Amino acid sequence: MTGTTQLPNVREQRPLGYWLKYIDGAIETRFDRLFADDGLTRRGWQVLNTISYGPITVAEIDETMAAFLSGEEPTMRPYVERFAELDWVRVTDADGLALTEEGKRTHQRVSEQAGTERVRMMECLSHEDFQVLMDLLQRIATHLDGLATETPRQ
């Protein structure tokens, strides 16, 4: 791919960005349907799972979830507030958050569902293929981070 200037015809071959958005949307849809009975979305699940690893602040959750923040959703605080209303999360010392006993039970149940669904979504790849895919995506992400400070070429 290095050094090419001719882009493929997008009607014949979809570019990387297309597939990344398509896959992300498909994952979002599957998890939203999976978690609907628990009143969760994929994003809500990600926040709940992040909290499950131990006391954490909203700012740390936002840092962890930075790739998902946007102008429409600049913080994960609304998820935390909803979880507090559901008695899934409690505030600890120094504004840290932790799962309550009810939150732990919910997390355990939903975690099992999420794990099963992840396996189903990736069953089209061997373990080795999955590792290669993850390595390649991380390599591209790291490279793009490095390019972020450069001025785009004309």
Side-chain angles (χ1 to χ4, degrees):
M1 195 79 203
T2 308
T4 42
T5 55
Q6 180 63 38
L7 296 174
N9 180 335
V10 295
R11 293 182 194 170
E12 296 171 6
Q13 180 183 348
R14 301 284 188 195
L16 174 66
Y18 172 88
W19 291 115
L20 293 175
K21 281 197 166 288
Y22 180 90
I23 291 167
D24 186 58
I27 292 170
E28 195 95 13
T29 299
R30 289 199 64 82
F31 276 122
D32 285 355
R33 280 192 290 193
L34 179 69
F35 301 144
D37 288 346
D38 289 292
L40 285 170
T41 61
R42 177 184 178 205
R43 199 74 59 242
W45 157 247
Q46 290 167 322
V47 172
L48 188 69
N49 191 51
T50 299
I51 297 168
S52 77
Y53 288 95
I56 188 169
T57 65
V58 172
E60 291 169 326
I61 293 170
D62 286 347
E63 183 179 320
T64 301
M65 302 286 294
F68 299 100
L69 298 179
S70 68
E72 294 106 34
E73 197 167 49
T75 180
M76 296 293 126
R77 182 175 296 280
Y79 295 98
V80 172
E81 290 170 351
R82 181 160 177 280
F83 296 160
E85 290 170 5
L86 293 168
D87 192 35
W88 292 356
V89 169
R90 64 180 167 75
V91 177
T92 65
D93 56 346
D95 293 329
L97 303 163
L99 295 181
T100 63
E101 289 306 312
E102 181 63 25
K104 289 176 185 176
R105 283 190 292 277
T106 300
H107 176 265
Q108 180 62 40
R109 183 181 68 255
V110 175
S111 180
E112 290 171 8
Q113 294 171 337
T116 299
E117 189 62 18
R118 280 190 186 115
V119 168
R120 288 192 66 218
M121 288 189 299
M122 294 298 115
E123 65 191 5
C124 62
L125 299 175
S126 69
H127 176 73
E128 293 77 19
D129 287 343
F130 180 78
Q131 279 308 127
V132 168
L133 175 63
M134 294 304 293
D135 291 345
L136 291 171
L137 290 172
Q138 289 173 8
R139 190 182 324 162
I140 292 169
T142 300
H143 179 69
L144 291 174
D145 284 346
L147 293 177
T149 59
E150 290 182 11
T151 304
R153 297 179 192 151
Q154 297 294 326

